[in-house]
Amino acid sequence: MACIEEEKLDRFHQWLQVNGVDLRGCKIKYCDSSKGFGIYSAKDAPDGVLLVVPLDLAITPMRVLQDPLLGPECRAMYEEGDVDDRFLMMLFLTVERLRKNSTWKPYLDMLPTTFGNPLWFTDDELSELKGTNLYRATELQKKKLVSLYEDKVKGLVKKLLILDGDSESEACFEDFLWANSVFWARALNIPLPYSYVFPRTQEDQDISCLAEKTSEVSTSHISGGESINGKNEKGLEVHEVDSKVNEVTSVSRQGETIWVEGLVPAIDFCNHDLKAVATWEVDGTGSITGVPSSMYLLSAGQSSLPVEREISISYGDKGNEELLYLYGFVIDNNPDDYLMVHYPIEAIQKISFSESKAQLLEAQKAEMRCLLPRSLLAQGFFPAGFSNNKESNTCNVERSCHFSWSGQRKTPSYLNKLVFPEDFLTALRTIAMQEDELYKVSSMLEELVGSGGERQPSETEVRAAMWEACGDSGALQLLVDLLNKKLMDLEESSGTEDRDSELLQTACIIGSPQQKTSKNANTSNQHELISRNRWSSIVYRRGQKELTRLFLKEAEHALQLSIAGGN
């Protein structure tokens, strides 16, 4: 490790010590060019507690609102609903990066200056993602961040720096992009004691009231969609600008626990591994660590860790789409990879009887998209080579519509092998239905609830009528069409899955140990030197092509069985 890196690490260790961080059984050291710094075991920790960090050191929305420089300006904006919790932390990181005498400098100097997520890709590297969900999502998010920077961040940062006595420093978009990437790659969803978040003093109560507000402005990576948890719990569904990562910071009250997103220096140097050797926990009372209101790193195994073993945690069961988008890395042959399939909402307006179908979709609470984890294939028609050891990854194929008005529509023999969620098939069944089927559904529901409309049919009743009238063949044919279109889009710019495999076999990542070995052995001419970003893109898109092909095979077989069985 270069001398300058050693100096930064020494200053950081001193800073941690001054701020009450206790490295009991570990140390922070440089890993490699792909990981940066990581945490390694240093000595035996009998109780399994490897690292303790006071939560007063965490960068949270409450800290920003109480900051002498940022607090007054941010409180006014927060009260008006102009910004959300995540924006506050990104603003804090941007300003502290530019402040000449920031007390956070030893920590910030340890953080990466660039990232491997697609927002940092060159145009050539980004072109490797064409046809994937991430390509469009990255384009949209980049525009969104530029707009946010120009409209809110640039002038505000300049104003705050002037208030701090610095009239010379200028922020640039890359400073805000850096802060955005730091937050998404390192933030945790921290369960804090209620009394810690909402202190009893009147001044702090006023601040806490602001933190309790539900923000309306989101600076999330991909807007819309569902919420996520923290670094080891985040989930992502990317389609254009849709995602699971997108609601504002959760400050939801659960008894005496308040969930708040934040950065915890030292803990955030833990890298991800599928076989994690540690977890992080919060000690509210100090009964475990001796430090009240602290976060600690706990060894996951019963036996002590060997010295110099990297201490990794799990960021959760994440596919490469999410890992690349948030954290800037991928896992080759990722067992947690998934495929997102959707029917474009805007396309509904162009189909026949769109208004009636839209009403039926709403009545059935149908889903217009679905996530298909790789593990689902173990339950399908072609399970060879796949295993599913995760109870949570079971596909919901149970139907509440086994009732048949005529008695002619039987439960399909293939139902227990169908890997596609019923909520999504319900949407496709509704979209694909023909005029005569729509008439049948209307007649059955009218027969059920009465012509006078004395009551509204239930979700279960509408689904039962849809199943009776339509069966599965229309939905499965539409699903086959969607998957064929997805595969065509993936292959249009970058070729086939086999082509990607060939590229990866001959690829040598610039700066990797493999490249150094190749140079020493004079075999570099056998490999094609590529950037890590390009390598990550190829691994990700190859996985998407493979999953699309495999789920397409499942859908085509189900369609054949459906037609043969009269469904």
Side-chain angles (χ1 to χ4, degrees):
M1 184 172 61
C3 181
I4 189 170
E5 297 298 325
E6 291 180 354
E7 292 176 358
K8 287 197 300 186
L9 186 55
D10 287 342
R11 286 195 299 269
F12 182 52
H13 275 131
Q14 294 172 16
W15 183 82
L16 291 175
Q17 187 175 10
V18 168
N19 285 283
V21 177
D22 188 359
L23 284 81
R24 297 184 180 180
C26 66
K27 62 182 178 182
I28 299 172
K29 63 178 244 183
Y30 187 76
C31 299
D32 55 47
S33 58
S34 64
K35 288 184 176 180
F37 290 93
I39 298 183
Y40 288 78
S41 57
K43 58 184 177 181
D44 187 35
D47 59 356
V49 176
L50 304 165
L51 169 66
V52 183
V53 182
L55 285 172
D56 285 343
L57 192 59
I59 299 174
T60 63
M62 293 87 73
R63 170 179 286 280
V64 180
L65 292 170
Q66 296 178 76
D67 185 83
L69 176 63
L70 281 75
E73 195 72 30
C74 289
R75 287 186 218 179
M77 297 174 66
Y78 204 70
E79 284 179 322
E80 294 297 322
D82 291 338
V83 297
D84 66 7
D85 297 349
R86 291 172 176 171
F87 178 90
L88 294 180
M89 288 180 278
M90 292 177 197
L91 178 67
F92 180 87
L93 290 168
T94 305
V95 172
E96 292 299 328
R97 188 189 200 201
L98 295 168
R99 290 178 79 175
K100 294 179 178 179
N101 298 310
S102 172
T103 57
W104 293 87
K105 182 174 173 58
Y107 168 62
L108 300 180
D109 282 349
M110 288 284 290
L111 303 181
T113 54
T114 61
F115 292 81
N117 71 62
L119 291 170
W120 292 80
F121 281 15
T122 65
D123 289 343
D124 286 343
E125 290 169 340
L126 188 60
S127 68
E128 300 285 352
L129 294 175
K130 283 185 177 179
T132 69
N133 295 327
L134 286 191
Y135 180 76
R136 178 64 174 156
T138 301
E139 285 191 322
L140 291 174
Q141 183 63 13
K142 192 76 170 279
K143 291 178 181 178
K144 187 178 174 186
L145 288 174
V146 169
S147 176
L148 183 61
Y149 171 76
E150 293 293 340
D151 295 344
K152 280 195 173 78
V153 177
K154 186 177 181 180
L156 183 56
V157 169
K158 181 65 176 177
K159 179 179 179 179
L160 291 169
L161 290 175
I162 291 174
L163 288 173
D164 194 43
D166 180 3
S167 58
E168 298 178 358
S169 298
E170 293 282 348
C172 64
F173 173 70
E174 188 172 299
D175 293 317
F176 181 58
L177 180 61
W178 171 86
N180 177 81
S181 297
V182 166
F183 173 81
W184 284 107
R186 308 179 83 87
L188 302 170
N189 206 28
I190 312 168
L192 298 175
Y194 182 80
S195 58
Y196 181 84
V197 180
F198 300 107
R200 293 178 179 274
T201 65
Q202 185 59 47
E203 180 182 357
D204 287 341
Q205 282 180 348
D206 292 341
I207 294 168
S208 299
C209 287
L210 294 176
E212 268 190 317
K213 285 183 344 93
T214 300
S215 306
E216 295 179 357
V217 181
S218 175
T219 57
S220 58
H221 266 281
I222 309 177
S223 312
E226 303 147 14
S227 64
I228 51 147
N229 293 325
K231 183 172 183 177
N232 61 344
E233 296 177 21
K234 285 181 181 173
L236 173 69
E237 258 173 55
V238 184
H239 162 240
E240 294 187 347
V241 80
D242 292 325
S243 162
K244 280 168 143 188
V245 228
N246 338 336
E247 295 201 290
V248 292
T249 300
S250 168
V251 194
S252 58
R253 183 170 181 178
Q254 300 176 2
E256 292 300 311
T257 299
I258 309 295
W259 292 85
V260 179
E261 282 181 319
L263 278 70
V264 184
I267 296 282
D268 65 349
F269 282 90
C270 284
N271 290 311
H272 169 72
D273 198 296
L274 293 173
K275 297 179 180 179
V277 300
T279 60
W280 60 261
E281 305 287 346
V282 169
D283 185 5
T285 63
S287 61
I288 298 172
T289 63
V291 183
S293 299
S294 63
M295 179 178 286
Y296 62 97
L297 200 60
L298 181 67
S299 175
Q302 299 296 323
S303 58
S304 59
L305 294 170
V307 176
E308 294 295 326
R309 167 78 179 272
E310 183 175 5
I311 299 172
S312 57
I313 62 174
S314 171
Y315 296 1
D317 300 335
K318 303 193 183 307
N320 283 337
E321 192 160 273
E322 180 177 2
L323 290 175
L324 181 56
Y325 196 75
L326 292 182
Y327 306 104
F329 68 88
V330 295
I331 298 173
D332 202 3
N333 298 312
N334 187 348
D336 297 315
D337 223 353
Y338 60 79
L339 184 73
M340 200 279 284
V341 184
H342 80 287
Y343 185 89
I345 294 177
E346 62 273 13
I348 292 180
Q349 299 174 354
K350 302 176 183 178
I351 63 176
S352 57
F353 308 102
S354 58
E355 187 174 337
S356 298
K357 291 180 179 180
Q359 292 174 353
L360 287 169
L361 287 169
E362 184 177 355
Q364 297 172 94
K365 296 183 174 63
E367 296 289 341
M368 299 295 289
R369 62 180 180 178
C370 69
L371 280 186
L372 301 173
R374 174 186 290 271
S375 56
L376 284 180
L377 293 165
Q379 306 170 26
F381 301 110
F382 309 101
F386 297 97
S387 61
N388 179 15
N389 299 320
K390 299 176 182 178
E391 294 181 6
S392 59
N393 275 349
T394 55
C395 186
N396 177 23
V397 296
E398 293 185 6
R399 294 185 180 176
S400 56
C401 46
H402 291 164
F403 168 76
S404 172
W405 270 270
S406 64
Q408 296 177 357
R409 184 74 71 186
K410 304 298 182 183
T411 300
S413 59
Y414 53 81
L415 186 60
N416 64 341
K417 291 288 186 180
L418 200 60
V419 298
F420 304 102
E422 176 60 21
D423 284 347
F424 185 58
L425 289 179
T426 294
L428 300 185
R429 189 178 293 119
T430 305
I431 293 166
M433 69 191 307
Q434 301 299 309
E435 181 177 3
D436 61 318
E437 295 169 337
L438 181 60
Y439 175 77
K440 287 180 184 177
V441 170
S442 300
S443 298
M444 284 186 284
L445 292 178
E446 184 177 320
E447 175 187 339
L448 189 67
V449 303
S451 58
E454 290 81 4
R455 67 176 181 86
Q456 291 296 317
S458 68
E459 175 189 339
T460 300
E461 290 168 340
V462 178
R463 289 195 178 203
M466 288 293 304
W467 162 246
E468 169 77 8
C470 306
D472 277 338
S473 58
L476 290 171
Q477 180 62 65
L478 182 53
L479 178 58
V480 167
D481 293 342
L482 290 174
L483 289 169
N484 269 317
K485 176 66 165 59
K486 189 173 187 71
L487 188 58
M488 183 176 66
D489 289 343
L490 286 166
E491 293 180 346
E492 184 176 2
S493 299
S494 57
T496 64
E497 177 188 338
D498 289 340
R499 172 58 179 155
D500 286 339
S501 295
E502 292 171 5
L503 290 172
L504 292 173
Q505 285 176 358
T506 59
C508 181
I509 301 172
I510 298 171
S512 67
Q514 179 191 4
Q515 184 194 6
K516 297 174 183 176
T517 303
S518 297
K519 283 182 178 179
N520 295 336
N522 293 320
T523 59
S524 57
N525 60 336
Q526 300 174 14
H527 299 282
E528 179 186 357
L529 291 177
I530 64 173
S531 68
R532 181 166 296 278
N533 291 345
R534 187 182 173 208
W535 181 85
S536 297
S537 299
I538 298 171
V539 170
Y540 158 62
R541 78 188 186 207
R542 181 183 67 169
Q544 292 292 289
K545 292 170 186 177
E546 178 192 21
L547 289 176
T548 304
R549 171 177 58 81
L550 293 171
F551 280 111
L552 176 58
K553 184 178 179 182
E554 292 283 335
E556 288 175 335
H557 190 69
L559 176 59
Q560 292 173 3
L561 295 176
S562 174
I563 294 173
N567 283 319

